[in-house]
């Protein structure tokens, strides 16, 4: 009942049509195509026809399976070669890209792979540090991400331009990229400045008795600016009475206010007689 | 809830990067057989697959099903400044499987190319390229033409066509002689 392997293979050989047999030994023997159209009104055999664009041999070797020593001829790919087997329908689905696909952000327009030099050169200047000093962290962060995506867009267009061997447009693209680079530098500059300011403020706060950096309770308890003086008054009323006599913005004698060094020199009586 | 799940179909990383400065280049598929469900990017060498996946999701809201990575070693070249022989840094490419297919826009036609190149420039570029190739051939083979390119002459092409016709049966073999009556065709 169970035929041995060699017998089975020879039966398979015998079952194949005569045209399939390696009669011609020419090296230019092309594999015979069995034309077989699937019967109408049936589902396609396979949905992977788009993968059928691959090369028939995986290593692109035209002579795979051929041997000049053994005169083997072309090897059959499958035991069913030569029989009318159903073939996958030659069907390639039409792909429509979603107009809101996220990858469109790598392009300037939906219908264009790369911008023309004129379009590329239509840009303004970079943001400067002075402008960015007035922006919040949220704004700066958003601007940073705009820059990141723009750089990706430029890199994609540059690669495409080089692939198509377009030499014009490189300079415009570089200039555009440079402006973005400058903006990113300015953002970093602003944030660094802000960080230094924060560091200095912290140092001051550590010395300030009004500020509590422990993180518990109210961090800032403002003290009344008269507080110290009121305490002094409570301690020694005598000096307070003295101070009370001095009137606010009282005119003082002019001699007191004048700096003696600024006065003209007066003749000083000589204490020691001249010899 | 469902929308949130759709927008974030996998568990993302926890490390927050506020000011990333790497440049990602979207590469046009070079092979015809590349499916629109795949997209290839040139990424920095330190990028890993998880980085790529999260980057595309957060920055471009593109959900991916899988990432494949390849590091391409660059050929040894001479440094144009120091004239030393060195190997340029490798290039990392990552191919992601997209949830939604994406087809690249068409490249500019020959007519549209004029927005970049006038005819003269086009010719100049062609000539320059030819000369570069010749220079390269001269350095490798000691002659201006690559022997591999030389092999396929018009003669060879005609012979191959004849052979193909003969095999397919389009042409019948004939030596334009009367067959001797002693011989019979089997």
């Amino acid at each position: 009942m169970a035929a041995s392997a060699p017998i089975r293979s020879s039966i398979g050989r015998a079952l194949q049509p005569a045209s399939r047999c390696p009669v011609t030994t020419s090296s230019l023997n092309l594999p015979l195509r069995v034309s077989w159209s699937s019967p109408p009104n049936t589902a396609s055999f396979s949905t992977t026809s788009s993968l059928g664009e691959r090369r028939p041999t995986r290593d692109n070797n035209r002579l795979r399976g051929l041997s000049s020593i053994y005169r083997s001829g072309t090897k059959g790919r499958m035991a069913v070669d030569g029989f009318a087997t159903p073939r996958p329908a030659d069907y390639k689905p039409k792909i429509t890209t979603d107009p809101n696909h996220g990858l469109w952000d790598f392009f300037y327009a939906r219908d264009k792979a790369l911008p023309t030099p004129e379009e590329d050169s239509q840009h303004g200047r970079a943001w400067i540090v002075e402008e960015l000093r007035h922006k919040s962290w949220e704004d700066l962060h958003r601007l940073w991400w705009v820059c990141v995506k723009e750089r990706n867009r430029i890199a994609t267009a540059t690669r495409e331009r080089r692939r198509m061997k377009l030499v014009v447009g490189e300079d415009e693209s570089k200039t555009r990229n440079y402006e973005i680079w400058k903006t990113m530098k300015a953002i970093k500059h602003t944030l660094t400045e802000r960080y230094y300011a924060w560091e200095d403020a912290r140092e001051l706060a550590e010395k300030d008795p009004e500020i509590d950096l422990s993180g518990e309770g109210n961090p800032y308890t403002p003290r009344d600016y008269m507080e110290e003086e009121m305490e002094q008054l409570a301690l020694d009323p005598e000096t307070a009475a003295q101070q009370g006599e001095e009137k606010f913005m009282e005119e003082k004698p002019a001699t007191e206010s004048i700096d003696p060094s600024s006065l003209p020199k007066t003749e000083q009586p000589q204490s020691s007689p001249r010899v | 809830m469902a929308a949130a799940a759709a927008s974030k179909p996998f568990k993302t990383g926890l490390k927050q990067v506020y000011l990333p400065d790497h440049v990602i280049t979207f590469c046009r598929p070079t092979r015809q057989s590349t499916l629109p469900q795949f997209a290839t990017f040139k990424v920095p060498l330190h990028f890993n697959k998880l980085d790529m996946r999260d980057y595309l999701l957060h920055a471009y809201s593109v959900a991916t099903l899988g990432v494949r990575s390849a590091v391409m070693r660059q050929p040894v070249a001479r440094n144009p400044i120091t004239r030393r022989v060195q190997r340029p840094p490798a290039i990392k490419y990552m191919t992601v499987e997209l949830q939604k297919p994406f087809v690249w826009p068409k490249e500019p036609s020959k007519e549209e190319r004029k927005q970049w190149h006038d005819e003269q420039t086009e010719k100049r570029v062609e000539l320059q390229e030819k000369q570069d190739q010749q220079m390269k051939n001269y350095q490798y083979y000691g002659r201006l033409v690559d022997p591999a390119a030389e092999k396929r002459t018009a003669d060879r092409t005609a012979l191959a066509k004849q052979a193909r016709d003969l095999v397919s049966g389009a042409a019948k073999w004939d030596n334009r002689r009367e067959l001797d009556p002693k011989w019979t065709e089997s």
Side-chain angles (χ1 to χ4, degrees):
Chain A
M1 193 178 133
S4 62
I7 293 173
R8 255 188 286 154
S9 69
S10 65
I11 289 169
R13 224 2 135 193
L15 278 170
Q16 286 192 353
S19 61
R20 188 70 198 99
C21 294
V23 185
T24 49
T25 50
S26 160
S27 63
L28 281 164
N29 184 19
L30 298 171
L32 197 75
R33 280 272 170 88
V34 180
S35 57
W36 170 268
S37 55
S38 55
N41 302 330
T42 52
S44 64
F45 172 66
S46 166
T47 54
T48 57
S49 64
S50 53
L51 291 169
E53 285 178 359
R54 287 177 182 164
R55 290 275 192 143
T57 53
R58 70 185 122 154
D59 55 356
N60 293 349
N61 185 356
R62 193 164 41 86
L63 304 175
R64 173 146 310 283
L66 284 180
S67 164
S68 57
I69 298 167
Y70 303 114
R71 299 186 180 181
S72 57
T74 47
K75 282 182 186 162
R77 290 193 195 297
M78 292 170 73
V80 291
D81 264 7
F83 293 104
T85 47
R87 293 170 67 86
D90 189 17
Y91 161 71
K92 205 176 175 192
K94 179 132 178 64
I95 304 283
T96 46
T97 314
D98 179 14
N100 298 321
H101 202 295
L103 289 181
W104 283 120
D105 283 2
F106 278 96
F107 302 94
Y108 287 95
R110 297 291 145 93
D111 51 345
K112 269 181 164 181
L114 74 169
T116 58
E118 282 77 41
E119 286 166 351
D120 229 352
S121 57
Q122 283 169 2
H123 60 83
R125 60 165 177 82
W127 285 78
I128 58 173
V129 180
E130 178 46 37
E131 289 161 346
L132 295 176
R133 277 187 194 125
H134 309 289
K135 298 287 177 190
S136 65
W137 156 246
E138 278 73 31
D139 284 350
L140 292 181
H141 195 207
R142 231 169 277 147
L143 181 59
W144 181 271
W145 270 101
V146 167
C147 290
V148 164
K149 287 182 119 176
E150 180 67 20
R151 272 174 113 196
N152 288 353
R153 220 170 286 143
I154 290 171
T156 304
T158 303
R159 185 184 169 86
E160 187 68 358
R161 203 182 309 106
R162 288 198 185 135
R163 190 187 64 81
M164 289 168 59
K165 287 169 184 149
L166 295 168
V167 289
V168 178
E170 190 87 26
D171 290 347
E172 285 84 353
S173 186
K174 267 185 189 161
T175 318
R176 200 184 177 89
N177 204 21
Y178 183 51
E179 292 297 323
I180 288 156
W181 179 82
K182 279 197 284 190
T183 301
M184 290 170 98
K185 278 279 155 202
I187 292 173
K188 286 241 168 168
H189 188 123
T190 313
L191 291 174
T192 312
E193 264 186 12
R194 224 168 262 187
Y195 180 69
Y196 287 162
W198 176 82
E199 269 188 339
D200 291 350
R202 190 178 170 83
E203 211 169 281
L204 277 177
E206 275 168 0
K207 289 176 198 161
D208 199 334
E210 290 180 346
I211 294 171
D212 175 25
L213 288 174
S214 66
E216 293 152 9
N218 197 0
Y220 178 55
T221 42
R223 293 171 72 178
D224 193 355
Y225 72 100
M226 293 293 283
E227 210 167 312
E228 271 182 37
E229 287 168 33
M230 297 303 279
E231 276 171 15
Q232 283 259 318
L233 283 177
L235 281 173
D236 43 341
E238 281 182 20
T239 47
Q242 269 188 5
Q243 279 177 358
E245 281 171 15
E246 287 177 14
K247 283 172 190 167
F248 180 64
M249 287 188 71
E250 190 193 19
E251 285 270 329
K252 282 177 185 172
T255 46
E256 271 182 37
S257 59
I258 292 170
D259 184 15
S261 64
S262 65
L263 288 171
K265 272 191 177 175
T266 50
E267 204 64 34
Q268 294 280 328
Q270 287 181 346
S271 55
S272 59
R274 207 179 276 179
V275 180
Chain B
M1 188 67 203
S7 64
K8 203 174 176 183
F10 42 77
K11 209 172 172 183
T12 53
L14 298 175
K15 186 181 172 186
Q16 291 184 320
V17 183
Y18 286 99
L19 302 173
D21 59 351
H22 23 247
V23 177
I24 308 288
T25 313
F26 190 16
C27 308
R28 184 188 276 276
T30 46
R31 278 187 300 175
Q32 272 281 300
S33 58
T34 307
L35 295 175
Q37 282 84 0
F38 289 89
T40 306
F41 300 89
K42 183 177 155 188
V43 298
L45 269 176
H46 62 263
F47 239 49
N48 65 31
K49 293 183 180 184
L50 302 175
D51 288 341
M52 186 69 208
R53 196 189 62 172
D54 290 4
Y55 184 91
L56 282 179
L57 186 73
H58 292 140
Y60 290 91
S61 52
V62 171
T64 50
L65 303 173
V67 185
R68 295 153 200 206
S69 156
V71 178
M72 299 291 181
R73 205 181 186 198
Q74 295 306 101
V76 169
R78 235 174 232 287
N79 187 321
I81 297 160
T82 61
R83 305 295 298 158
R84 275 166 181 261
V85 170
Q86 352 176 282
R87 192 178 290 281
I91 298 175
K92 192 173 221 173
Y93 290 101
M94 282 192 180
T95 304
V96 300
E97 195 174 346
L98 302 167
Q99 217 169 42
K100 283 191 268 178
F102 183 83
V103 182
W104 262 68
K106 272 181 195 157
E107 66 177 60
S109 62
K110 208 162 186 184
E111 203 49 44
E112 284 168 345
R113 262 179 90 97
K114 282 177 186 164
Q115 290 171 313
W116 284 267
H117 282 179
D118 53 348
E119 234 166 81
Q120 258 189 336
T121 318
E122 193 91 11
K123 270 183 192 166
R124 186 164 54 80
V125 169
E126 261 175 42
L127 186 70
Q128 184 66 46
E129 203 179 311
K130 195 179 162 193
Q131 283 175 349
D132 286 353
Q133 189 57 47
Q134 280 181 345
M135 200 61 218
K136 218 184 243 177
N137 289 339
Y138 191 76
Q139 280 175 358
Y140 276 112
Y141 311 111
R143 53 202 256 201
L144 294 180
V145 185
D146 177 5
E150 234 179 16
K151 245 190 325 194
R152 198 84 186 172
T153 56
D155 217 18
R156 250 183 87 88
T157 313
L159 191 66
K161 191 189 176 305
Q162 257 183 352
R164 234 179 293 124
D165 286 349
L166 208 60
V167 169
S168 64
K172 214 151 164 64
W173 186 83
D174 183 27
N175 60 358
R176 295 177 200 149
R177 275 183 204 175
E178 283 293 313
L179 199 65
D180 197 284
K182 278 191 279 187
W183 299 96
T184 52
E185 270 193 275
S186 57

